[in-house]
Amino acid sequence: MATISSLASHPNPNPNPNLNLISPMLQPYLEQQQERLHPDTPPDDGGSSYDAAPDAEDRDSSAAPNNNPAALSPNPNPSPIKLLHLSFNQDYGCFATGNDRGFRIYNCDPFREIFRRDFDGNGGGVGSVEMLFRCNILALVGGGDSPQYPLNKVMIWDDHQSRCIGELSFRSEVRGVRLRRDRIIVVLEQKIFVYNFADLKLLHQIETIANPKGLCAVSQVAGSFVLVCPGLQKGQVRVEHYASKRTKFIMAHDSRIACFTLSQDGNLLATASSKGTLVRIYNTHDGSLLQEVRRGADRAEIYSVAFSPTAQWLAVSSDKGTVHVFSLKVNSGNVVSERSNSPPDTNPSAVTPGSSLSFMKGVLPKYFSSEWSVAQFRLPEGYQYIVAFGHQKNTVVILGLDGSFYRCKFEPGSGGEMTQLEYHNFLKPEEAF
């Protein structure tokens, strides 16, 4: 069983890190974030720039000189970079990439690389980069053939100081990290640890079924902390409502869980199984099934699922090289008071509300009564893509492990292909800042 070790050289059976290393340095930043960052404040219509945000701490290369001896100067003939990780920040305004040399931060709209950190020495590989909105604190985990850090450690990196200011050490590899302004969540193969961000006090431990993908989702609205993770059974998800101290188990699918996501307020949960044909939307408070949408008829591996900020739309990417956008008929702000009388995984011939074939309920196979996407965007197959909604109306942002960046627009009601607005390959030298 994976347990946390202290920062000393010997394992500590008490799963608490050395608190003295990080809390005096981290506390000022956390207080600043609480006072100045508001996740529910919409961005300006023109998009948001990472270095222009209140907590950017001069992270743009033009404002922050690189005085870190661990960083390399640009190589005039660099070897190809191997991408190891892609992730959006909490408001989808930026994204982070981990590679075999370090990590880089990009702004989505307008697209541009705004920061990079290449590590010198024999290591350099960063397999996970978790941003904390737009501030200078990041969580890093080593990765690749030559990892910069041990795979069983989460390093708390302060880019204002250009160094790690703390670490969390475990007895097995870290599978994922999630950040809130008040919490750090670390995902291991069969366990999840929840810490208080200010002093790294361990608050909760959760046992899960085998979770090699590090599946975990957390809400981001202040005052409401909802965490979703795999349960202890195949197809089951566990929902933790920390404000009300309630735990809810949802049997979401018959097959194993492949992907899930939460709405920003934590009221809605979207899940996909290893079959990859259906995506189900649940009320996290009572576990009721609110809606079911169909990606396709054949099996697929779902790579990512994302709610729009208002939970009006849902985007899904898969190994079929297609991104789908679905229209949602649920109101995230009202699901607490709404209750569904239809339990999940029952009455398989039931027609989803709003289907044009609802008059044939109980007659046609479920495939014909499914809700289909309102827009699609086709991508080159063979690469993993993740998707999120852009800050401009009816736009999606798609990132690929081949270095591709797409920004697309969809027209509700058209039922057709999305319009590509922008494309970049952020691995090419000409795309560098």
Side-chain angles (χ1 to χ4, degrees):
M1 181 179 67
T3 58
I4 304 177
S5 64
S6 69
L7 297 177
S9 59
H10 60 279
N12 184 354
N14 181 16
N16 284 302
N18 185 333
L19 306 182
N20 294 328
L21 177 62
I22 184 170
S23 58
M25 298 179 181
L26 189 57
Q27 187 64 38
Y29 302 107
L30 298 173
E31 291 174 352
Q32 183 185 52
Q33 293 153 24
Q34 292 290 345
E35 294 173 0
R36 300 171 64 184
L37 269 176
H38 303 283
D40 51 349
T41 301
D44 294 335
D45 293 339
S48 53
S49 176
Y50 190 72
D51 61 311
D55 284 335
E57 295 288 5
D58 297 329
R59 297 200 45 181
D60 191 301
S61 61
S62 62
N66 184 0
N67 56 5
N68 180 14
L72 289 172
S73 299
N75 189 335
N77 297 300
S79 59
I81 294 174
K82 182 179 179 180
L83 273 181
L84 304 175
H85 168 88
L86 287 170
S87 65
F88 288 97
N89 73 337
Q90 291 84 349
D91 66 4
Y92 305 129
C94 300
F95 67 94
T97 69
N99 58 62
D100 56 358
R101 302 176 189 175
F103 63 90
R104 299 180 183 183
I105 307 294
Y106 298 82
N107 196 70
C108 290
D109 187 13
F111 172 84
R112 64 189 183 99
E113 180 184 305
I114 51 178
F115 181 81
R116 68 169 62 183
R117 181 70 64 185
D118 290 346
F119 295 106
D120 199 357
N122 296 326
V126 175
S128 179
V129 186
E130 183 71 8
M131 301 176 65
L132 182 57
F133 289 91
R134 299 167 182 270
C135 78
N136 50 290
I137 302 296
L138 303 102
L140 307 178
V141 180
D145 296 332
S146 300
Q148 174 69 11
Y149 308 109
L151 304 185
N152 66 326
K153 291 187 177 183
V154 176
M155 311 302 295
I156 309 300
W157 176 274
D158 177 4
D159 215 79
H160 185 61
Q161 301 185 44
S162 300
R163 67 186 183 94
C164 289
I165 59 173
E167 66 182 59
L168 294 168
S169 182
F170 302 87
R171 293 180 181 174
S172 64
E173 291 185 13
V174 175
R175 299 298 186 183
V177 183
R178 303 291 182 270
L179 297 182
R180 283 171 49 100
R181 293 194 183 90
D182 56 351
R183 298 290 184 267
I184 300 176
I185 299 93
V186 181
V187 185
L188 306 184
E189 180 81 23
Q190 290 185 292
K191 205 162 200 177
I192 292 177
F193 295 96
V194 180
Y195 298 94
N196 186 45
F197 211 149
D199 56 11
L200 291 189
K201 178 182 178 181
L202 180 65
L203 302 177
H204 196 201
Q205 301 181 48
I206 302 173
E207 300 281 349
T208 71
I209 197 171
N211 186 17
K213 292 183 178 180
L215 299 179
C216 183
V218 295
S219 64
Q220 295 296 336
V221 173
S224 174
F225 179 21
V226 182
L227 180 149
V228 175
C229 64
L232 290 171
Q233 303 177 39
K234 181 180 67 174
Q236 183 187 68
V237 291
R238 174 173 178 161
V239 184
E240 291 288 337
H241 290 272
Y242 286 97
S244 57
K245 299 181 180 179
R246 292 187 300 112
T247 301
K248 183 69 181 179
F249 291 93
I250 301 174
M251 285 303 303
H253 300 274
D254 294 329
S255 306
R256 64 176 176 82
I257 301 296
C259 190
F260 55 71
T261 191
L262 274 173
S263 58
Q264 288 284 312
D265 56 15
N267 288 334
L268 298 178
L269 167 68
T271 68
S273 74
S274 56
K275 292 182 179 179
T277 55
L278 298 172
V279 178
R280 291 171 174 160
I281 295 90
Y282 291 93
N283 180 334
T284 62
H285 297 272
D286 63 8
S288 60
L289 177 61
L290 301 175
Q291 192 173 346
E292 183 178 271
V293 297
R294 180 174 289 276
R295 182 213 55 82
D298 52 344
R299 281 180 172 267
E301 182 178 357
I302 303 296
Y303 289 139
S304 70
V305 183
F307 284 103
S308 65
T310 60
Q312 180 183 5
W313 311 103
L314 184 77
V316 179
S317 65
S318 72
D319 64 348
K320 298 300 182 181
T322 306
V323 169
H324 294 267
V325 173
F326 300 90
S327 175
L328 300 184
K329 297 176 174 62
V330 293
N331 188 326
S332 178
N334 295 333
V335 297
V336 177
S337 59
E338 294 177 355
R339 294 294 182 265
S340 172
N341 295 322
S342 301
D345 287 339
T346 61
N347 192 14
S349 63
V351 175
T352 307
S355 169
S356 61
L357 298 174
S358 58
F359 69 96
M360 296 294 288
K361 178 179 179 180
V363 178
L364 290 176
K366 190 174 184 180
Y367 173 85
F368 293 100
S369 60
S370 297
E371 289 190 62
W372 296 83
S373 60
V374 299
Q376 309 86 36
F377 186 74
R378 303 190 182 280
L379 300 153
E381 294 189 39
Y383 297 99
Q384 183 171 341
Y385 299 93
I386 62 173
V387 64
F389 285 87
H391 287 166
Q392 296 186 30
K393 185 178 180 181
N394 297 339
T395 60
V396 294
V397 176
I398 306 166
L399 309 177
L401 277 177
D402 59 344
S404 58
F405 170 96
Y406 297 90
R407 192 165 60 88
C408 307
K409 185 175 181 63
F410 62 94
E411 295 295 337
S414 66
E417 298 290 326
M418 298 186 207
T419 301
Q420 179 177 312
L421 301 178
E422 192 175 1
Y423 169 79
H424 300 276
N425 187 328
F426 50 83
L427 293 183
K428 291 185 177 179
E430 58 264 27
E431 294 289 358
F433 70 99

